[in-house]
Each structure stands twice: as structure tokens, then as C-alpha cells.
Amino acid sequence: MNVEIGDLRAFVAVADLGSFAAAARELYLSQPALSRRILKLENSLGVRLLNRTTRRIELSAPGRAFLGRARQVLNDFDESLLDVTDAANRLTGEVTLACVPTVINQLPEVLKQYQRQYPGILVRVMDEGASDVLTRVTRGEADFEINYLGAQEGNLVFEPLHEDDFVLVCPKSHPLATRASVRWAELASYSYIAVNKASGNRMLLDLALARIPDLPKPALEARHVRTVIDLVAAGLGVAAVPRLAIPASALDSCLVAVPLSEPAITRSLGLITRHGQLLSPAAQRLCDLLRQRGLTAGRLSTP
């Protein structure tokens, strides 16, 4: 039986993307070349794997049964290549990770470990707003991303990584600093600092709080959460920010983080890839390391 790895990659790409044109673009093949690979695989197996119509492509019953096995073969093959390269300590290449700025605090330790294991790989980090990060992956400009947007996108795969809650951040000398929790309505009595409406975090908060009366009106706005935290540290007010965004050094020195309630608001951070995308071995190892280590929120300061 003459089955090649390239034939399996072609089949899995067409099955995942549901389109010969999209799969050809993904694999950098012409459509005739891709069709020849699929036909060769079907002839080698002696079964039809795909049912082709004028409107769409569907897996046949043998195709559905074979898809899982094909994926496993590809995964085992890629892992074997990477293991050989690791043993020779010659793994090189590039990985591009796009992520929202509020998780940057969590990356240094992961990247240190990755660089120790794979010193020959260049890692590019694109830290941008949530919408921009999403675009980087959909356009193929990044291998994968860490984001809280994208779970509903049909052309993307969202793998939950961490539930990050919004907390009140204020100076240690502030009247709310000693509270066990603070209701959103209570913030209306204080100078409130917010990210502006261009921010994905602001969108999440506005949607979650749409029916809550007596909400705080911002006295100051900034584009980035980190800037908001700096303004709070300067004594200009209080803010609601994702817990992961607060540097541990700020909690040690001048700030306190207090849980917010009524309502409690969280965002789901996840690893995002394009549907049907086959990550390079180097990118796959970085994804695996992020899954292993996860994202660890800084501790909440307690009164």
C-alpha cells in the first residue's frame, strides 16, 4: 500500500476545511495537485473518503472512520521528527505568538523554559488589542494566539486555558482596600478609571453591566489596561481590571486587588488556532508548554 504523509495531510486539511480551495491554500498546493493526492490515497485504500457535490464536500462513512487514524499518524510522525531533532539539539525556526497585553505578565517564565529547551528557535510575540490579535491569526500572520475573543468564530478553534475574573484595583490607602469584596454599584461614589470603548475588555464589561443601574461613570479613560493600573497607582482613582493584568510587583508595593460582585464578571482566555491548521513542531511545543504551565493569576491582596 503506497500511502504518503503528504496524502494524509491533504485528506485531513480537506476534511477540516470542507473545501479543496481552502485546503490547497493551507498546504501551498494547487487544487489539481491536492485532488491528485486525495485520489491517490483513495485508490491506495480502496475506498472513497470524500463525497463531492457541486455545493460542498462531505466525509463518507469510511472517511469519517479514517479521519481520526489519519490525525494520529500525522501527530506521531511530527512528534518523531521533533524528538530526533531535539536529540541532536538542532531544532531551529520561528514561532509567532499573538496575545492580548493583559497576559504579558504570564509569559516570561514560560518563554524562559522554552528558550532553555529550544535555544535555536526565534519566538516573536505580538502583543496587541484583542481584535488585532484575532486578525493576526485569521490572516496567518501568527501561528496561534492567546485571547478572550474568538470562541464563537467558525474558522477558529478556541481551547480554554484560564478563567480570569475582573477585580477592583485601588491604592492600599483607599477606603475600599480593606473590603473582602465590593459591589459594582458602590464604585459610583469614587473616582473611576476605565479603558476606553476601543478596548475589548471595555466591551465585555459594558455587555455584562448593561442592565445594572447606578454604574460608575469614568473620570478618566485610557487605551490600555496597564495604563489604567499606572493611573490607579498614581492615586487618581480606582478601576476594574482583569486579575491577570496586575503585576505582582504592584500588589507587593502599592496596590490592592479586591473581588467585585453583583455581578461577578469573568473572561475566558484560550489558545486559538485556525480551523484545520497544522502547527509546526516548534509552535506545537510552545502550545504544549502553555497548556502544561497554564496562566497563573497573581494573588489577591487581603485586608
Side-chain angles (χ1 to χ4, degrees):
M1 184 178 295
N2 183 21
V3 176
E4 299 179 2
I5 289 293
D7 303 338
L8 295 179
R9 292 197 194 281
F11 167 63
V12 171
V14 173
D16 285 341
L17 297 173
S19 163
F20 272 80
R25 287 194 298 271
E26 181 75 22
L27 298 175
Y28 299 100
L29 294 173
S30 66
Q31 288 194 49
L34 179 67
S35 296
R36 286 194 295 271
R37 285 190 176 277
I38 298 296
L39 182 60
K40 176 174 171 289
L41 179 61
E42 290 179 328
N43 289 338
S44 296
L45 297 175
V47 295
R48 179 176 290 277
L49 299 173
L50 300 169
N51 293 322
R52 305 159 178 83
T53 68
T54 56
R55 293 187 177 182
R56 60 185 178 181
I57 296 171
E58 295 180 343
L59 289 170
S60 65
R64 288 193 296 272
F66 182 64
L67 181 59
R69 294 180 180 272
R71 287 191 200 280
Q72 187 60 54
V73 170
L74 290 175
N75 288 337
D76 290 345
F77 178 76
D78 289 340
E79 284 293 322
S80 297
L81 288 180
L82 189 54
D83 288 341
V84 170
T85 309
D86 288 348
N89 196 26
R90 294 193 301 267
L91 185 61
T92 60
E94 299 179 359
V95 178
T96 300
L97 161 63
C99 70
V100 290
T102 46
V103 302
I104 288 295
N105 295 329
Q106 312 302 311
L107 291 183
E109 291 305 315
V110 173
L111 295 179
K112 284 180 183 178
Q113 181 175 344
Y114 188 77
Q115 286 185 329
R116 285 195 299 268
Q117 294 176 338
Y118 312 110
I121 296 177
L122 169 65
V123 179
R124 289 193 173 94
V125 178
M126 295 180 171
D127 52 325
E128 300 176 316
S131 297
D132 293 331
V133 166
L134 204 62
T135 300
R136 293 290 187 183
V137 169
T138 56
R139 290 180 178 175
E141 297 170 2
D143 293 294
F144 63 96
E145 65 177 290
I146 303 174
N147 204 343
Y148 52 88
L149 300 182
Q152 306 303 320
E153 299 289 333
N155 62 332
L156 298 176
V157 178
F158 183 94
E159 179 184 342
L161 195 62
H162 180 80
E163 288 298 318
D164 190 21
D165 57 330
F166 284 82
V167 296
L168 173 71
V169 61
C170 62
K172 289 184 176 181
S173 59
H174 195 274
L176 297 176
T178 58
R179 296 280 297 276
S181 66
V182 174
R183 292 179 292 108
W184 276 93
E186 295 180 78
L187 301 184
S189 301
Y190 301 94
S191 178
Y192 182 70
I193 306 172
V195 287
N196 65 32
K197 293 187 177 180
S199 166
N201 285 302
R202 175 67 176 269
M203 178 186 70
L204 289 180
L205 290 178
D206 287 348
L207 287 173
L209 299 170
R211 297 183 180 180
I212 305 299
D214 302 323
L215 289 177
K217 294 182 179 180
L220 287 170
E221 287 187 351
R223 175 67 179 85
H224 300 291
V225 172
R226 183 56 187 266
T227 305
V228 169
I229 294 172
D230 289 342
L231 293 174
V232 172
L236 294 171
V238 302
V241 301
R243 187 188 303 193
L244 283 181
I246 309 173
S249 59
L251 293 177
D252 288 335
S253 60
C254 61
L255 297 180
V256 174
V258 183
L260 283 164
S261 63
E262 298 183 25
I265 302 173
T266 63
R267 59 177 190 169
S268 181
L269 288 161
L271 291 171
I272 300 178
T273 56
R274 297 188 306 280
H275 188 69
Q277 176 185 6
L278 297 174
L279 290 176
S280 69
Q284 185 64 58
R285 282 298 172 93
L286 183 54
C287 269
D288 291 342
L289 189 57
L290 284 163
R291 292 187 187 100
Q292 174 189 336
R293 295 185 63 109
L295 301 174
T296 305
R299 65 188 181 282
L300 283 177
S301 296
T302 53

